[in-house]
Structure formats: structure tokens, C-alpha cells
Amino acid sequence: MGSGGWHIEKRSKFGASESFKDGGDSEIICEGGSLSIVVLGASGDLAKKKIFPALLHLYRQGFLPPSEVHIFGYARSKITDEELRERIRGPFIQAKDAMPGDFETVSKFLQLIKYVSGFYDTEKGFRLLDEEISKVECGSSRRLFYLALPPSVYPSVCKMIKHCCMSKSDNGGWTRIVVEKPFGKDTDSAEKLSAQIGELFEESQVYRIDHYLGKELVQNLLVLRFANRFFVPLWNRDNIDNIQIVFREDFGTEGRGGYFDEYGIIRDIIQNHLLQVLCLVAMEKPISLKPEHIRDEKVKVLQSVLSIKDEEVVLGQYEGYTSDPTVPDDSNTPTFATVILRIHSERWEGVPFIIKAGKALNSRKAEIRVQFKDIPGDIFKCKKLGRNEFVIRLQPPEAMYMKFMVKQPGLEMATVQSELDLSYRQRYQGITIPEAYERLILDTIRGDQQHFVRRDELKAAWEIFTPLLHKIDGGQLSPIPYKQGSRGPAAADELLVNAGYVQTHGYIWIPPTL
Ligand SMILES: NC(=O)C1=CN([C@@H]2O[C@H](COP(=O)(O)OP(=O)(O)OC[C@H]3O[C@@H](n4cnc5c(N)ncnc54)[C@H](OP(=O)(O)O)[C@@H]3O)[C@@H](O)[C@H]2O)C=CC1
Ligand SMILES: O=C1O[C@H](COP(=O)(O)O)[C@@H](O)[C@H](O)[C@H]1O
């Protein structure tokens, strides 16, 4: 499962108790109190694909000791504990890289899971859930509610949790809720949702998840930027010409057409995932690594983004998108967008941040590409061969490489572009790269909000895109059709060139093989 065949190693677990045994020991020891993880929407796609697998990964590494942890699935579907367990078990059994001992571990993990059926807007089911949790709790009670649900039910679910299911213990206990994107559709709807949740829970109890913040190379950005003398003097408008933040998928909406059509690529990918990456690339150094210090700096970046100009936007829709029966024939929803963001600050004035995301393109990758300016007074005519670039490949595979000029080995004095390559699979053999959800769920258990989106951050992010989104929703801007498996609309490449990006021809980075 997970990171394409990488090793899973046991690491030290959270909390004080050392009573973990790798098994479904039914004895309740409770030295560290109880931790109940409730997955609401347990019958759904996200729960099956991401949340339960992440919990299993944490379990096998010893982070969810069976003496303390209980997992509950909650949804309306009338299914039994065993049926839920079978749904969860399926993907593990089929996993290519499953190892012999895994099946036993999975079975033990599944025994931690109970299912409670109930509605999202009435107390009965939540009272039953509370009873089930209370039955297994002892010592301090820590309750984590993961809302793997459509956002339309967040307000009622939060109300029910608040009325029926809060942690009963003052003794080191807590109640936390994790909410999934999309948090609203524009500034007003997001603020309304935040206000509804904010009436019930403190900001410190609310974990707005953006799974890109859990990716290894996204988490590495602060270290890269602020722990390396190399980058400190270069990371500004004096040296950097343009920065691209790119997300490409080589498949379409695949059964999620109904959801996607309501949101589109800007709300699905750009306003959240890519904007979070932009914040980490562009922010100033925080006073410390405390979550609030980091999030303060991110908010400042978002608030410094200038209004998007229509002429700096290219929208696309792949041909065949509307043949999905859940998508209207006349859909105006973009499945591709290139948008140029400009940051009004001393560091970034004049540097375009080219944000690009698309579905059904010719490749799958996510990366940050920092392109440096040309060498002044170039005696080697390097410009013709390409510029220096620093590329952070978020996936797949995880890598960082610097494209730079060297002398072509041989008798002649000729230049050629080459790279310094830090490919993670090669450099960190045998080391686990955790899945984003795994890491973020662990952060939630530990109470670390650094990698979660704060309310004011969310508002500032929506403010950047709301005017553009309203123009698209109102039909004032429309997507250009593009072929599936292509680079997207040609106009997007033209926009890139107009923004100053210079493509290197005849050079391509090839991920090294082991
Ligand atoms: N799937 C994914 O890959 C990703 C999903 N997300 C977000 O995570 C959340 C959950 O996603 P996903 O699992 O795909 O969603 P699903 O559509 O699978 O819904 C999850 C569960 O919610 C219940 N549900 C569905 N529709 C409604 C409704 N209209 N009213 C009340 N309950 C409903 C169903 O359970 P039951 O009927 O049994 O109660 C369903 O099993 C969403 O906010 C989504 O945007 C975010 C990133 C990726
Ligand atoms: O949030 C979402 O992300 C996925 C892409 O996630 P990744 O971790 O595989 O890069 C995207 O497919 C989906 O449309 C979107 O809702």
C-alpha cells in the first residue's frame, strides 16, 4: 500500500504509554487514557481510499496502540461491523506490495473498528455513538471526529457532536474535528461555514485538512528555504525570473464528475493545494516554527496577492468531459487552468507565480519550478541553452534537482545543461515516506495545527479567487476545449512565454533508477 513499495518501519508511537503490543489484545490497560477516532462518512470513497489506510499505516508503526485506541465508523448506510471491515480489508488484500505478515496485522487492526449507523441531523445516532465510545473509554478521553462527508452536512454534524459526543473528561481529554475540503465555494460561503463551525468549536479544535500540506516535499519547503544558506540570498526578485507551481493528472474526473462539475479545477486544486504550496514558497521567515507563527506568515502572503487579471488566465475543458452522465452537456466548468498570481511585496514584485492545474493531460506530476534570471554579461551564450532552474518534484517520484550549466566534458570549450539531483528513492533507500493523510492524522492526535489551514488563511485564499470564480460561474469566462492526453490548451503555453518563462529545449530530466 501507499508509497509504491517503500518499506514500512516501526517508529516510536505518540503518547506516554508503552503498553503497545502488535496485536488485537483485548485487555484495556489505558495508561495514557483512551483515544477514539470516529470516521463520519465511513461508507464513502475518501474513508475507504485514504482514511482507513492511513489509520492502518499508523497502527502498524505502533502509533495507535490497541490498549488505548478505538476506531468507529459512522454513516447512514445500514451495514454491520463485519461489512465495514470487509470493505476496508479489500484494498489491502489486493495490494501489490502486501507482505506475508500484513494480513494478520490487518485483521488485528480491523478488530479495533466498530460501526454505528445513524443520520447526520438527528440526535439518536449520535447518542448511540456516544454510548459506544463511552463503553470503551477509561482514563482521559480523547475524541477525534473525522468528517469524511459532503460539506453540506458539516453544520448539522458539528451540532450533533457538540450536543451528544464531546469528551467527558477534563483530565487531559479533548475533542477535535477534522474537516475536509471544499470549505465553501467562495469567500461568503466559506465564511458562513467557518462561522457555523466557529459557534460550536474553538479554532484550536478545528483541523481543516489540505492533504498537500502532508506531502514530504511540501513539508520540506521550510527546511529548504530557511535552513540553507544557498537559498537565502537567491530567493527573491533580484535572482528569480518566474516560479511555476504545477499539478497535472493523466486521468479525468473518473466517477467524480458530479462533484467536480460543481467545483471545477480552481476550487478542487488551485485555491487550496497549490495556493498552500505558493504560501510556503513565497512567505517570509516565521519568528519560530510554532504553528501560529507559520500561519501568520502564510496569511501575509495571501493578503499580498494582487487581483487576478482576466488576460492572465487560460481555462480549458477536456473533450469528452460532458459525456459523463452526471455532468450537464453545457457545462462551463474548467478541468484545466493556468493563472498568473502576482505578489505585491518587496521580495516578489514583478515575479509571476504561474499556477497551472489540469486533468486528463499527458502526464501525472506535481512540481515547483523556480526559474532564475539570465546571467548578466553572459560570455558563454548560456541563454541559448537554457536558464538555471531549481525543481522540487512533489510527486511522482519525490525529487529535487538543480538545472545548471557545466562545461561539456571533452576537448572543446562548450557548455551543456546538467543537473544536481536529489532523488529520494535513490538517496533515502529503505526509508519510509509516509502518506499525507497518515502524517496529518497523527498531527491531529498530537494537537499540532502547523499543517492545517487557519480560518483567516482560508478567507484570504478565497478572496484571491472569488472574483474569477464568479466570472466563470456567470459564464463571462469560458474554457477552451483540449484533447485528452495533451498538454492542455495551446494558449496556456503562450501565457507562460508571455509571463517570461523560457523553456529549455533538448534537455529533459530523467529520474534515476536504482
Ligand atoms: N474522495 C476523494 O478522493 C476526496 C474527497 N474529499 C472530500 O472528502 C469528503 C468526503 O468525500 P467522499 O468520501 O468522496 O464522499 P462520498 O460522496 O463518498 O460521501 C461520503 C459519505 O457521505 C454520505 N453522503 C453522501 N452524500 C450525502 C448527502 N448528500 N447527504 C448526506 N450524506 C451523504 C454517504 O454515506 P451514507 O449514505 O452511508 O451516510 C457517503 O458514503 C468530501 O468533502 C470530499 O470533497 C477530499 C479530497 C479527496
Ligand atoms: O484533492 C484532490 O486531490 C487529488 C490529487 O491528490 P494527489 O495527492 O493524488 O496529488 C485530485 O485527484 C482530486 O481531484 C482532488 O479533489
Side-chain angles (χ1 to χ4, degrees):
M1 280 296 299
S3 314
W6 291 50
H7 291 241
I8 302 292
E9 289 171 351
K10 213 167 220 179
R11 285 179 268 162
S12 65
K13 65 188 177 63
F14 73 94
S17 168
E18 291 303 323
S19 60
F20 172 65
K21 298 187 198 104
D22 186 13
D25 199 334
S26 57
E27 189 191 355
I28 298 177
I29 300 172
C30 265
E31 286 169 14
S34 302
L35 170 64
S36 302
I37 301 174
V38 183
V39 181
L40 298 126
S43 54
D45 185 56
L46 184 75
K48 180 176 166 179
K49 275 191 340 211
K50 298 287 185 188
I51 317 293
F52 286 117
L55 292 173
L56 170 67
H57 279 237
L58 289 172
Y59 171 80
R60 7 186 211 205
Q61 293 167 90
F63 289 105
L64 302 182
S67 55
E68 295 174 21
V69 175
H70 296 88
I71 299 171
F72 297 87
Y74 183 97
R76 297 171 304 184
S77 302
K78 299 261 181 268
I79 52 171
T80 62
D81 292 349
E82 213 36 58
E83 281 166 330
L84 176 63
R85 290 173 189 155
E86 280 317 303
R87 284 185 194 200
I88 299 168
R89 189 197 305 269
F92 300 118
I93 289 175
Q94 290 144 20
K96 295 193 290 299
D97 54 346
M99 289 177 273
D102 280 358
F103 297 122
E104 206 191 327
T105 311
V106 172
S107 298
K108 286 176 180 168
F109 165 74
L110 291 175
Q111 290 314 307
L112 299 179
I113 302 176
K114 266 196 85 58
Y115 180 72
V116 177
S117 167
F119 292 103
Y120 299 118
D121 53 357
T122 52
E123 291 198 0
K124 193 172 160 211
F126 285 89
R127 296 235 172 266
L128 184 60
L129 177 64
D130 183 57
E131 271 171 36
E132 291 295 333
I133 300 174
S134 302
K135 265 188 213 165
V136 295
E137 272 183 336
C138 66
S140 69
S141 123
R142 292 164 290 157
R143 295 186 175 189
L144 169 56
F145 294 89
Y146 198 117
L147 275 58
L149 285 166
S152 54
V153 297
Y154 290 174
S156 69
V157 167
C158 287
K159 226 181 258 172
M160 292 302 132
I161 294 171
K162 181 77 183 185
H163 290 157
C164 310
C165 297
M166 298 294 282
S167 160
K168 308 288 182 288
S169 123
D170 304 327
N171 176 19
W174 44 252
T175 304
R176 294 180 186 145
I177 61 160
V178 182
V179 284
E180 266 292 345
K181 59 150 252 239
F183 316 110
K185 293 185 81 176
D186 58 11
T187 310
D188 288 349
S189 53
E191 270 295 283
K192 188 173 164 203
L193 191 56
S194 291
Q196 285 168 324
I197 296 176
E199 275 173 23
L200 300 163
F201 295 99
E202 301 291 330
E203 184 63 23
S204 60
Q205 295 176 293
V206 181
Y207 289 70
R208 294 180 197 84
I209 202 163
D210 183 314
H211 78 276
Y212 266 59
L213 290 177
K215 290 192 185 278
E216 182 66 35
L217 268 76
V218 175
Q219 297 210 335
N220 194 25
L221 284 168
L222 288 192
V223 182
L224 257 184
R225 287 198 49 208
F226 301 119
N228 288 300
R229 189 64 194 249
F230 281 143
F231 295 114
V232 175
L234 294 181
W235 213 256
N236 54 46
R237 64 192 297 272
D238 298 334
N239 301 290
I240 293 175
D241 189 90
N242 62 79
I243 297 181
Q244 284 187 66
I245 303 175
V246 178
F247 167 96
R248 306 165 72 88
E249 267 180 353
D250 55 1
F251 50 89
T253 52
E254 298 207 327
R256 293 179 76 216
Y259 152 80
F260 189 88
D261 197 64
E262 208 187 313
Y263 291 92
I265 199 78
I266 296 177
R267 292 183 175 101
D268 191 46
I269 302 290
I270 296 182
Q271 179 273 346
N272 34 62
H273 304 326
L274 301 193
L275 205 50
Q276 285 297 324
V277 172
L278 175 139
C279 286
L280 296 168
V281 171
M283 67 188 244
E284 297 301 317
K285 187 170 173 170
I287 304 169
S288 79
L289 289 178
K290 286 193 181 133
E292 295 324 322
H293 289 158
I294 294 172
R295 301 196 296 179
D296 287 347
E297 293 305 329
K298 287 165 71 187
V299 173
K300 284 186 209 161
V301 174
L302 294 169
Q303 290 177 338
S304 311
V305 174
L306 297 172
S307 305
I308 298 168
K309 295 189 185 131
D310 290 357
E311 60 275 21
E312 295 201 316
V313 176
V314 172
L315 305 173
Q317 187 186 81
Y318 65 82
E319 290 170 3
Y321 167 71
T322 55
S323 54
D324 180 328
T326 58
V327 172
D329 291 342
D330 60 351
S331 169
N332 197 50
T333 301
T335 59
F336 174 100
T338 297
V339 179
I340 297 183
L341 296 183
R342 296 182 182 274
I343 299 173
H344 182 63
S345 72
E346 197 174 337
R347 185 185 290 274
W348 295 119
E349 185 81 53
V351 179
F353 284 75
I354 304 159
I355 315 293
K356 178 153 90 178
K359 289 200 174 261
L361 297 176
N362 57 352
S363 62
R364 175 174 177 250
K365 69 175 179 188
E367 69 181 22
I368 304 159
R369 184 172 294 266
V370 180
Q371 186 169 78
F372 288 85
K373 289 181 187 277
D374 293 322
I375 289 277
D378 179 16
I379 52 171
F380 296 105
K381 310 281 182 270
C382 294
K383 194 173 160 188
K384 286 196 188 119
L385 291 170
R387 288 172 164 176
N388 287 160
E389 285 183 356
F390 177 45
V391 182
I392 302 161
R393 175 71 71 92
L394 308 179
Q395 65 187 33
E398 291 91 347
M400 287 184 260
Y401 56 96
M402 274 184 197
K403 288 166 66 171
F404 72 130
M405 219 53 76
V406 295
K407 178 185 165 298
Q408 167 83 59
L411 291 175
E412 303 303 329
M413 177 50 85
T415 55
V416 66
Q417 201 163 43
S418 189
E419 78 274 312
L420 279 173
D421 186 334
L422 174 57
S423 280
Y424 272 44
R425 285 191 181 199
Q426 198 178 48
R427 178 67 181 82
Y428 298 114
Q429 289 175 42
I431 293 199
T432 308
I433 301 263
E435 285 284 311
Y437 277 93
E438 187 184 329
R439 197 189 308 255
L440 294 174
I441 291 172
L442 188 59
D443 282 350
T444 313
I445 296 169
R446 289 171 165 166
D448 182 349
Q449 290 187 307
Q450 175 179 330
H451 304 296
F452 293 82
V453 181
R454 205 169 63 187
R455 180 174 171 175
D456 52 347
E457 204 180 331
L458 175 66
K459 180 169 183 260
W462 276 118
E463 279 169 348
I464 295 170
F465 287 102
T466 293
L468 171 63
L469 288 165
H470 284 177
K471 283 183 198 162
I472 301 169
D473 295 345
Q476 288 156 261
L477 292 177
S478 291
I480 303 167
Y482 65 93
K483 293 224 174 312
Q484 291 190 38
S486 70
R487 282 180 56 79
D493 284 336
E494 287 157 25
L495 184 61
L496 217 67
V497 173
N498 293 342
Y501 175 68
V502 178
Q503 196 180 350
T504 313
H505 293 284
Y507 166 90
I508 190 158
W509 173 74
I510 300 165
T513 46
L514 291 175

